[in-house]
Amino acid sequence: MPPLPPNATIGIIGGGQLGRMSAMAAAELGYRCHILTPEPDSPAAQVSAGYTLADYEDQDALRRFAAAVDVITFEFENVSAAGLDLLASLRPVRPSPAVLRISQDRVAEKSFLRNAGVPTAPWEAVGSLDELREAAARVGQPAVLKTTRLGYDGKGQAVLRDPSDLESAWASLEPKPLILEGFVEFRCEISVIVARGADGGGSVFDAMENRHRDGILDLTLAPARIAPATAAEAGRVAWRVAETLDLVGLLAVEMFVDRTGRVLVNEIAPRPHNSGHWTIEACPASQFNLHVRAIAGLPLPPGLRHADAVMKNLVGPDEVALWPQIVATPGLIPHLYGKTEARPGRKMGHVTRLFPLDRLPGDPDISKALGCLGA
Ligand code: AMP
């Protein structure tokens, strides 16, 4: 496909904040966006040229959506195989349906990573309580039992610390089958975001460190405070994943750094990622800019950073209630996603705080720099 010309239309599946910020980056590059979403007044549609309001499985709507756009990408990954095949028969879909299918299913994902020679925690697919007992004997405990599909933000998983936990955990998690993973006593959680073009060229951002609260990303520190050799290994692993997938688009690779400094991949997301929001202000080309460039066939500038950064999510009604103080705090760069209802656990916006390059301070000073949002 030749590069997408100015004023062409990018179709984005999903109406959330990742689509919103992708659409804003697309507009800067002279593209229009058209959103497919079942949600009226979605964050992405609010900033786009058009939208199709329909369920992701509505075949007629998928056809109308495809007819309105020149290339299709995603911020929501869980479209069915039939829907993906239909879209791919009508327009270029980037990343490809094959990549989406791998990321939709934890067993497919972990099998892919094993075949790619990428280290992960030990894991086994489990289809019955007996299989779970056998797998737990091999994997050991503690372990984490997860649904293979539709899990996000720590939902759809249970930590098994004792053999007596197996039965209740098996009963509580749906849909089956499940996957059992060894519990990683990690030093920290990191992610690496890479962009890759159709010509095989690409860009890799430095690893960032992610801290969760109640299973939801709370804080990202860029760069991660890890040994240079570990950061380099994380970058190599992420690039190997992108190359082996033959990715065209953007990919986030979430990893654990274990007690020995080894990097283990937890999961992959072939789309912009919450841990990369700081790139909007701290990089000449943000993750959203690179996402749009990669799917549009434009050249990919390197994933360089001109500042260090901390990103803090605004989750639920309590944090978004601090908005008047946030916008009044010098140095905080505020983002709101246009969601009208602030439910507990819902990501409403985020805040970025920049620091001079290679001068990320320690935790107490980060906390201070976040003002009313500091711990
Ligand atoms: P996930 O849905 O796989 O991204 O998991 C959500 C969070 O649960 C991760 O960010 C980790 O904090 C934790 N977690 C998931 N899998 C494991 C594991 N195998 N060992 C330790 N912690 C895990």
Side-chain angles (χ1 to χ4, degrees):
M1 192 179 105
L4 207 59
N7 297 314
T9 300
I10 297 173
I12 301 178
I13 307 231
Q17 61 269 17
L18 302 175
R20 178 185 180 94
M21 291 181 271
S22 295
M24 289 160 79
E28 286 176 356
L29 290 166
Y31 297 125
R32 291 138 207 251
C33 285
H34 185 107
I35 310 297
L36 176 72
T37 172
E39 185 195 352
D41 191 32
S42 68
Q46 287 168 12
V47 303
S48 292
Y51 62 92
T52 299
L53 192 63
D55 192 84
Y56 299 118
E57 303 308 326
D58 177 340
Q59 305 260 319
D60 285 340
L62 292 181
R63 278 197 192 86
R64 272 186 279 127
F65 167 72
V69 308
D70 298 293
V71 63
I72 295 172
T73 191
F74 295 82
E75 67 114 51
F76 170 88
E77 291 149 74
N78 288 307
V79 176
S80 70
L84 288 174
D85 289 341
L86 174 61
L87 291 172
S89 72
L90 298 167
R91 288 290 181 273
V93 174
R94 294 173 163 178
S96 69
V99 172
L100 268 285
R101 281 190 194 120
I102 290 171
S103 73
Q104 283 174 352
D105 181 303
R106 288 189 199 270
V107 170
E109 182 179 67
K110 290 279 182 345
S111 305
F112 161 81
L113 293 168
R114 177 184 283 162
N115 292 336
V118 171
T120 65
W123 61 273
E124 291 197 30
V126 288
S128 68
L129 183 54
D130 281 343
E131 280 180 20
L132 173 59
R133 290 199 175 102
E134 288 162 23
R138 284 187 291 266
V139 168
Q141 282 185 264
V144 188
L145 187 64
K146 301 180 180 178
T147 55
T148 58
R149 301 180 76 86
L150 305 177
Y152 67 99
D153 283 347
K155 292 187 174 57
Q157 52 182 278
V159 178
L160 312 181
R161 301 199 175 273
D162 187 271
S164 64
D165 293 339
L166 298 189
E167 200 169 330
S168 59
W170 172 259
S172 71
L173 292 173
E174 290 293 350
K176 309 282 194 297
L178 304 177
I179 181 171
L180 184 73
E181 297 177 8
F183 188 90
V184 181
E185 302 284 355
F186 53 80
R187 202 181 277 168
C188 64
E189 293 189 76
I190 62 172
S191 53
V192 173
I193 292 177
V194 307
R196 186 169 178 274
D199 64 356
S203 317
V204 184
F205 288 103
D206 282 342
M208 42 261 177
E209 181 177 335
N210 300 319
R211 299 190 187 162
H212 296 82
R213 211 174 53 195
D214 303 328
I216 301 171
L217 183 66
D218 177 43
L219 217 57
T220 293
L221 277 53
R225 294 201 195 104
I226 53 179
T230 310
E233 175 62 8
R236 278 194 297 273
V237 163
W239 183 249
R240 189 184 326 149
V241 172
E243 273 199 314
T244 314
L245 287 171
D246 197 18
L247 175 85
V248 179
L250 198 78
L251 174 81
V253 182
E254 297 179 24
M255 308 176 222
F256 302 117
V257 179
D258 76 6
R259 299 275 168 209
T260 66
R262 223 163 44 117
V263 168
L264 303 171
V265 172
N266 177 31
E267 63 180 358
I268 63 177
R271 52 165 172 76
H273 193 262
N274 194 169
S275 66
H277 291 356
W278 59 274
T279 60
I280 295 174
E281 288 89 11
C283 302
S286 73
Q287 66 161 346
F288 301 103
N289 181 285
L290 287 177
H291 177 212
V292 173
R293 282 172 172 265
I295 60 170
L298 301 184
L300 296 177
L304 287 182
R305 175 180 99 245
H306 50 64
D308 287 7
V310 170
M311 188 281 315
K312 163 97 179 76
N313 269 335
L314 302 177
V315 179
D318 294 350
E319 289 187 337
V320 82
L322 298 170
W323 188 247
Q325 291 105 292
I326 291 167
V327 290
T329 306
L332 292 188
I333 306 170
H335 294 252
L336 266 195
Y337 304 148
K339 299 179 184 180
T340 48
E341 199 191 335
R343 292 190 292 271
R346 195 170 196 212
K347 293 172 184 165
M348 302 300 293
H350 73 269
V351 164
T352 301
R353 181 76 159 90
L354 299 180
F355 299 91
L357 190 63
D358 298 328
R359 297 276 171 74
L360 195 65
D363 282 3
D365 285 329
I366 287 177
S367 211
K368 223 181 285 168
L370 289 174
C372 62
L373 292 165

